[in-house]
Amino acid sequence: MTRYHREMRAIKKYINNLDSRVIETNCGSIEYAKIGNGYPVLAVHGNAGGFDQGLIMANKTINSKFQVISVSRFGYLRSSIPRKASVAMQADAYASLLDSLNIGKTAVVGYSAGSASSIQFTLRYPERVSALILVSPAAPGKGPVMSKALFNIFFRNDFVYWATITYFRSWVQDAWIGVPKEFTITPEYEANIRDLLFHILPVSARVDGSFFDIYTSSPEIFNSSKNENYPIEDIEIPTLVISAQDDPLALHENAQALVERIPHSRLLALPDGGHLLLGHNEEVKSEITRFLHSNKVSIDKNI
């Protein structure tokens, strides 16, 4: 228990030192952190995340000359979750956040489960999006399903989650964060996996958001071909989709189909790396930078 308490203190100190802020809007409390001074990029984290995970992913994939606005989505950390929350409401919350920051237009990067609200924001506020980037996206098609019993065991109790990732990491890395079973784990990749799993703590501060993602947001986007709330073909914003061919969570075939439906989109297909795109951070960062440049997004100033 001594190690558990020490590591919990460390992760909470780490989050506090990131100096996030909370604003109040018609959509409730919204937590965010902002780094950099260049053209704004809204970073939308995946499942079991928060603004802190958004910053971690942005550091791996977005050029440091951009300004990153990383938001905690509904129910994550200090962001509230409204009654009868919807993905469309989450998109409205992004608009409220940008209003409060006096940002009229931004590029949007949605990671994993964050792609659903990123797509909704682009559909609802196209005049505010200069470019859309979806990384390992939850997309229409087949998707993973977690039983509520399993969710309640592992994601509502900090100690149970900590013990699982500490002593049974190899058991969870495939099912929870999408590392392919056949993928060769180098010491560097092992460190990356351990770091990501550790930074999901405290799960007790992310449980409401994760529950919304797993049982509302992700199923909605998986089944969006039957849902009039997702007219994906109407997206006119330049879109880049990034997907690994061996991703066991956000299936590559779904990413391919997504690109076929979005008119001005293209796909960066990586041969391996799983859901975390292990081994491809620099390639992904370079491709995102080129994509933003090609769509007249400046890394030097807000235009």
Side-chain angles (χ1 to χ4, degrees), residues 94-136:
Y94 300 156
S96 295
L97 172 61
L98 295 177
D99 288 343
S100 73
L101 299 175
N102 295 314
I103 294 174
K105 202 164 191 175
T106 181
V108 178
V109 182
Y111 299 97
S112 189
S115 63
S117 56
S118 298
I119 290 171
Q120 274 291 351
F121 181 68
T122 303
L123 287 168
R124 295 170 72 83
Y125 302 92
E127 74 284 357
R128 306 196 70 167
V129 181
S130 56
L132 174 63
I133 301 165
L134 304 173
V135 181
S136 301

Side-chain angles (χ1 to χ4, degrees), residues 21 23 30-34 40-42 67-71 94-104 128 302:
R21 298 182 179 182
I23 62 168
I30 304 173
E31 181 182 30
Y32 73 96
K34 184 171 64 171
V41 177
L42 180 66
Q67 176 187 176
V68 172
I69 302 101
S70 183
V71 61
Y94 300 156
S96 295
L97 172 61
L98 295 177
D99 288 343
S100 73
L101 299 175
N102 295 314
I103 294 174
R128 306 196 70 167
N302 190 341

Side-chain angles (χ1 to χ4, degrees), residues 1-3 21 29 63 74 80 94 102 107 178 187 201 208 224 228 239 294 300:
M1 290 293 287
T2 301
R3 178 182 174 185
R21 298 182 179 182
S29 303
N63 189 296
F74 284 162
S80 61
Y94 300 156
N102 295 314
L201 286 164
D208 291 340
S224 62
E228 61 183 13
T239 302
S294 70
D300 298 316

Side-chain angles (χ1 to χ4, degrees), residues 9-243:
R9 285 193 297 270
I11 190 63
K12 290 177 180 178
K13 181 179 180 181
Y14 165 80
I15 294 172
N16 289 336
N17 287 343
L18 292 175
D19 293 326
S20 66
R21 298 182 179 182
V22 177
I23 62 168
E24 297 297 330
T25 73
N26 291 335
C27 301
S29 303
I30 304 173
E31 181 182 30
Y32 73 96
K34 184 171 64 171
I35 59 172
N37 298 299
Y39 187 89
V41 177
L42 180 66
V44 184
H45 65 81
N47 188 16
F51 83 92
D52 54 331
Q53 185 192 89
L55 291 178
I56 290 172
M57 296 305 299
N59 182 59
K60 295 177 183 294
T61 58
I62 299 175
N63 189 296
S64 61
K65 292 184 178 181
F66 289 101
Q67 176 187 176
V68 172
I69 302 101
S70 183
V71 61
S72 291
R73 295 192 284 109
F74 284 162
Y76 285 102
L77 299 176
R78 293 195 289 165
S79 286
S80 61
I81 183 166
R83 284 190 172 187
K84 298 182 180 179
S86 69
V87 182
M89 291 171 65
Q90 178 69 90
D92 293 342
Y94 300 156
S96 295
L97 172 61
L98 295 177
D99 288 343
S100 73
L101 299 175
N102 295 314
I103 294 174
K105 202 164 191 175
T106 181
V108 178
V109 182
Y111 299 97
S112 189
S115 63
S117 56
S118 298
I119 290 171
Q120 274 291 351
F121 181 68
T122 303
L123 287 168
R124 295 170 72 83
Y125 302 92
E127 74 284 357
R128 306 196 70 167
V129 181
S130 56
L132 174 63
I133 301 165
L134 304 173
V135 181
S136 301
K142 298 177 182 177
V145 177
M146 176 180 289
S147 74
K148 291 185 179 180
L150 191 64
F151 179 91
N152 288 331
I153 291 172
F154 292 105
F155 290 96
R156 291 189 181 277
N157 185 290
D158 289 331
F159 177 74
V160 171
Y161 174 83
W162 173 86
T164 302
I165 66 168
T166 300
Y167 301 110
F168 305 98
R169 187 179 306 123
S170 61
W171 178 70
V172 304
Q173 64 189 22
D174 174 40
W176 291 2
I177 58 174
V179 178
K181 292 179 180 179
E182 66 277 9
F183 190 76
T184 301
I185 305 297
T186 66
E188 178 186 0
Y189 299 160
E190 175 68 23
N192 288 338
I193 294 167
R194 183 172 60 250
D195 184 66
L196 176 61
L197 288 170
F198 179 71
H199 282 89
I200 293 175
L201 286 164
V203 291
S204 59
R206 309 176 199 265
V207 63
D208 291 340
S210 289
F211 192 88
F212 175 74
D213 274 347
I214 294 171
Y215 302 110
T216 299
S217 175
S218 291
E220 185 176 296
I221 188 71
F222 293 151
N223 298 314
S224 62
S225 58
K226 305 174 184 178
N227 189 330
E228 61 183 13
N229 293 325
Y230 280 88
I232 291 173
E233 289 80 3
D234 292 347
I235 294 176
E236 295 291 337
I237 305 302
T239 302
L240 173 65
V241 178
I242 301 173
S243 170

